[in-house]
Amino acid sequence: MFVVLLLFWLGPVYSHSEPVQVIAYEGDRVTLPSRRNSTWNLDRIQWSIFSNITFIATLRRGELATDLFWSYTGRLTLNTTTGDLHVNDVKKTDATLYSVLLMDNGSQENHKVKLKVRDRLPVPNVNYTVSPIHEGHCKVNLRCGPRREKLAIRWNSTGPVTFPSLADNSSVLQAELKEHSTANFTCIITDEDRHESSTTQVSCKLKERHRDILAFFAFFLGLFVGLVYGGSRGSQVTEVRQDRVSTE
Ligand SMILES: *[C@@H]1O[C@H](CO)[C@@H](O)[C@H](O)[C@H]1NC(C)=O
Ligand SMILES: *[C@@H]1O[C@H](CO)[C@@H](O)[C@H](O)[C@H]1NC(C)=O
Ligand SMILES: *[C@@H]1O[C@H](CO)[C@@H](O)[C@H](O)[C@H]1NC(C)=O
Ligand SMILES: *[C@@H]1O[C@H](CO)[C@@H](O)[C@H](O)[C@H]1NC(C)=O
Ligand SMILES: *[C@@H]1O[C@H](CO)[C@@H](O)[C@H](O)[C@H]1NC(C)=O
Ligand SMILES: *[C@@H]1O[C@H](CO)[C@@H](O)[C@H](O)[C@H]1NC(C)=O
Ligand SMILES: *[C@@H]1O[C@H](CO)[C@@H](O)[C@H](O)[C@H]1NC(C)=O
Ligand SMILES: *[C@@H]1O[C@H](CO)[C@@H](O)[C@H](O)[C@H]1NC(C)=O
């Protein structure tokens, strides 16, 4: 213990005062780089927060500890070769200044990492309406959400579509889709570093499909009625018809 302490005080210190910045998203796994001197075999690693007061992960005399502070319990992995600290399932409260002390045979280095944590990007949801076919096309109105501060919304599409007006960063999109065709509209929510997208398929065949469904049901309804009445109670049907004819 005494020897270790003596070496700690007597060894040369290589300190880098500029913190490196790392950006992560909530829920991510992020790596805080130790920036060790690659010629070193680390015999001591100490990651801390709150200006060195609180150790969160350490390697000391071959003993690895990563559950030292309650708010990081079960979420830290320390690479004892590189000194890098991996934080799983990043939380907003992890955003702070980290400090790492590295030692090799009495020499020591100290580095800092500033972690910024961004909100997880929302998955876009898209609602749309399609007008009936008119003059060879349907009008499609799409709305994408959620709208968030600092996040931009972009659209992309494939298929026979045209856009009467196209605004940047707009949550609504108006498009014209050629009749009897299908298009895919993609809404992209982005903060310029990352994006989340959601694709919606829209058809300009609404009337036809309605007509088909109606015809389908009418056919089966007719078949059903025909079977029931035509089979067992054929004579009653004629009676009813005769009644109605006579009352009119
Ligand atoms: C790495 O450590 C060695 C001593 O172990 C030192 O001579 C060298 O300057 C260090 N390199 C850097 C980039 O700090
Ligand atoms: C942490 O301790 C090192 C020396 O052990 C020192 O150089 C550094 O400034 C300290 N960091 C903070 C944030 O106080
Ligand atoms: C530590 O990092 C090195 C270099 O990236 C890698 O080869 C090694 O597998 C890692 N060790 C562990 C235990 O993850
Ligand atoms: C450790 O440091 C001492 C004194 O600086 C030196 O004599 C010794 O060779 C070093 N050992 C290793 C393994 O680097
Ligand atoms: C889409 O409709 C659902 C249900 O009506 C609603 O909860 C959601 O907010 C709508 N999304 C957009 C982008 O308007
Ligand atoms: C897009 O709109 C959002 C909300 O209105 C705004 O916060 C963001 O800065 C805009 N982004 C761009 C690139 O214009
Ligand atoms: C839009 O879609 C086209 C075709 O799939 C693709 O090449 C292009 O990269 C997409 N643009 C964006 C911004 O996603
Ligand atoms: C739309 O997407 C579907 C499913 O990914 C694909 O099968 C279809 O070809 C796409 N249509 C167009 C017009 O890009």
Side-chain angles (χ1 to χ4, degrees):
M1 182 66 195
F2 179 67
V3 178
V4 171
L5 244 143
L6 203 67
L7 288 172
F8 184 91
W9 290 113
L10 295 180
V13 178
Y14 307 91
S15 194
H16 299 245
S17 50
E18 271 304 301
V20 65
Q21 196 175 87
V22 172
I23 294 174
Y25 289 77
E26 238 181 320
D28 272 6
R29 169 185 165 89
V30 70
T31 299
L32 308 182
S34 77
R35 287 185 291 161
R36 62 149 183 172
N37 181 328
S38 57
T39 65
W40 287 19
N41 287 315
L42 303 175
D43 50 37
R44 181 183 282 237
I45 306 165
Q46 288 178 175
W47 279 96
S48 55
I49 51 169
F50 302 148
S51 312
N52 290 358
I53 293 168
T54 309
F55 291 127
I56 57 170
T58 57
L59 175 75
R60 285 186 256 197
R61 272 165 271 126
E63 246 180 78
L64 182 65
T66 52
D67 279 343
L68 295 170
F69 192 59
W70 62 271
S71 68
Y72 294 89
T73 305
R75 297 194 294 124
L76 301 180
T77 317
L78 182 59
N79 185 315
T80 54
T81 311
T82 61
D84 294 348
L85 183 67
H86 306 285
V87 185
N88 290 305
D89 188 16
V90 169
K91 312 227 175 293
K92 292 285 271 187
T93 49
D94 294 346
T96 187
L97 186 67
Y98 294 79
S99 183
V100 60
L101 177 85
L102 306 166
M103 288 180 73
D104 170 39
N105 191 24
S107 300
Q108 77 174 58
E109 274 187 347
N110 189 269
H111 298 292
K112 291 187 181 70
V113 180
K114 189 165 171 55
L115 178 65
K116 280 184 116 176
V117 180
R118 289 191 186 160
D119 288 332
R120 196 197 301 253
L121 286 183
V123 175
N125 65 77
V126 176
N127 290 342
Y128 69 90
T129 57
V130 186
S131 72
I133 299 173
H134 179 62
E135 290 171 2
H137 63 252
C138 300
K139 284 192 185 347
V140 186
N141 285 300
L142 300 112
R143 177 178 293 277
C144 180
R147 197 84 175 108
R148 294 269 167 83
E149 228 4 67
K150 292 183 195 154
L151 297 183
I153 290 183
R154 281 207 285 270
W155 292 90
N156 204 355
S157 65
T158 59
V161 281
T162 51
F163 304 98
S165 69
L166 203 52
D168 242 15
N169 195 14
S170 170
S171 59
V172 296
L173 180 73
Q174 282 170 5
E176 289 178 0
L177 178 57
K178 211 160 159 280
E179 65 181 328
H180 310 307
S181 69
T182 298
N184 291 334
F185 293 92
T186 303
C187 172
I188 304 150
I189 293 185
T190 177
D191 68 353
E192 309 307 330
D193 289 325
R194 280 195 191 182
H195 67 270
E196 283 284 347
S197 69
S198 161
T199 298
T200 307
Q201 202 166 33
V202 180
S203 292
C204 180
K205 294 171 183 163
L206 216 59
K207 270 185 160 173
E208 261 62 30
R209 208 195 269 161
H210 268 305
R211 208 179 293 155
D212 285 351
I213 291 169
L214 279 178
F216 183 79
F217 275 106
F219 173 75
F220 275 100
L221 193 69
L223 200 68
F224 180 73
V225 169
L227 278 176
V228 168
Y229 288 96
S232 60
R233 290 193 266 169
S235 54
Q236 274 185 11
V237 175
T238 24
E239 275 172 33
V240 171
R241 274 198 195 136
Q242 280 168 349
D243 282 0
R244 203 194 287 152
V245 169
S246 61
T247 51
E248 272 171 3

